[in-house]
Structures are given as structure tokens and as C-alpha cells.
Amino acid sequence: MTAKDVFHSMFQYKAWSEAELFKILTESPSTFIAPHLTEALWHLAHINIVDNLFKGRLLGDPMPCSSTTTNEPQHLSDLSLKFSKTNNWFVNYTKSVTEAELEERLNFVFEDGKPGNMKKSEMLIHVLSHGLLHRGMVSGLIPFAASEGWQDHFTTFLKH
């Protein structure tokens, strides 16, 4: 299996896992009584902002946003659509990217104004690991999601 194949599989997993999480959050009657739902939605918005920030960098856009957080109230339906759009882009990108392109280095400016230089493969690894970190935080904030059927496991994804 090539690095390109691994990235493609992992971004398919990311898209699946996040779609399943939004499905549980949208369909669950528990959603409206969860005490930490606002914080969970903040983490999800942060994931999407960072995903889009790195998408922009991969496309050669120097900085598509000025912050990695938002204080705006988040809505499940809006976030779900944003995640779907961004995840579809990453799935398509990793399907078509070449091994040589994965090794290309890009210069950019981090959100804090400091210079950055990363391989495209390193950017993809960051997007994946960053999303996993914050989805883990979300699962701790909304424990009902697991009882309602959400399983954020790569092995569960592989069974589908």
C-alpha cells in the first residue's frame, strides 16, 4: 500500500466518522439536553476551520481565514454541510494526488503570523491527527453519542 493509498483510506475514514457523528447528533433526542453540546460544537467548528485552513494551503492560498476558532453560535446542520464539503474535497484530493506531490514542501504563514514550511504529506497528517484529537474531546463531552451507536474506530469503518 502506498502513502497515497493510506491517505485516501484515512480521509475516507475521517469523512465517514464525522458524517456518522453528525447523524447521531442530529437524530438523537438527547442532543437537546446534553450539557456540553455548545462546547462540542465549538470543537467541531474548530476542526472544520483548521481543515479548511490546510486545504487552502494545499491549494496555494496563503491564509483563507484569520482565526482557528469562532465565538459565533454553531448549528448542527450548517456544520454538517461544511464538514461534508471539506471532507469530500480531501477524499478527492487524496485520490488524485501523486506520491511526488506528497513530498512537495510548501511555504506559508501560520495563523499566528509565524512562517511555516511543511510537506503536503505532513499537512495531511496534521489534518488527520488534529481532527482525531478534537473528535476525542467531543466524545468526552457528549457521551450519549456512543450509547446511540457512534463508534469512531477505523476498524468499524473497514467493516462497512
Side-chain angles (χ1 to χ4, degrees):
M1 183 177 256
T2 65
K4 169 190 158 62
D5 294 334
V6 171
F7 280 120
H8 187 61
S9 180
M10 292 304 296
F11 275 97
Q12 288 176 310
Y13 157 65
K14 179 182 183 310
W16 168 83
S17 178
E18 291 168 353
E20 289 295 309
L21 175 58
F22 278 105
K23 188 167 107 179
I24 293 291
L25 290 173
T26 301
E27 295 174 356
S28 174
S30 305
T31 299
F32 302 104
I33 59 171
H36 301 292
L37 183 62
T38 300
E39 188 176 352
L41 293 176
W42 181 92
H43 282 283
L44 291 169
H46 172 67
I47 291 169
N48 192 251
I49 290 168
V50 170
D51 287 359
N52 278 293
L53 186 63
F54 278 89
K55 173 187 165 187
R57 290 173 180 158
L58 288 165
L59 290 170
D61 296 336
M63 189 148 56
C65 69
S66 59
S67 177
T68 61
T69 61
T70 181
N71 291 323
E72 296 296 317
Q74 300 300 305
H75 303 282
L76 276 173
S77 59
D78 293 339
L79 277 175
S80 179
L81 289 173
K82 289 176 183 178
F83 267 75
S84 179
K85 182 179 176 182
T86 305
N87 282 331
N88 285 337
W89 185 88
F90 276 105
V91 167
N92 289 327
Y93 178 79
T94 56
K95 184 177 182 180
S96 63
V97 71
T98 66
E99 294 287 328
E101 289 171 327
L102 288 172
E103 293 304 309
E104 289 177 20
R105 286 200 163 274
L106 300 176
N107 293 311
F108 58 92
V109 177
F110 281 106
E111 184 270 331
D112 65 3
K114 294 180 180 173
N117 178 285
M118 296 171 74
K119 291 180 183 180
K120 289 182 177 182
S121 59
E122 293 169 331
M123 290 181 177
L124 293 173
I125 291 167
H126 176 71
V127 169
L128 291 167
S129 62
H130 178 262
L132 282 169
L133 169 77
H134 285 283
R135 283 199 317 274
M137 291 175 177
V138 169
S139 69
L141 292 167
I142 50 170
F144 70 85
S147 68
E148 307 247 352
W150 179 55
Q151 294 184 356
D152 189 6
H153 303 287
F154 184 64
T155 53
T156 305
F157 163 73
L158 291 174
K159 294 176 193 175
H160 285 89

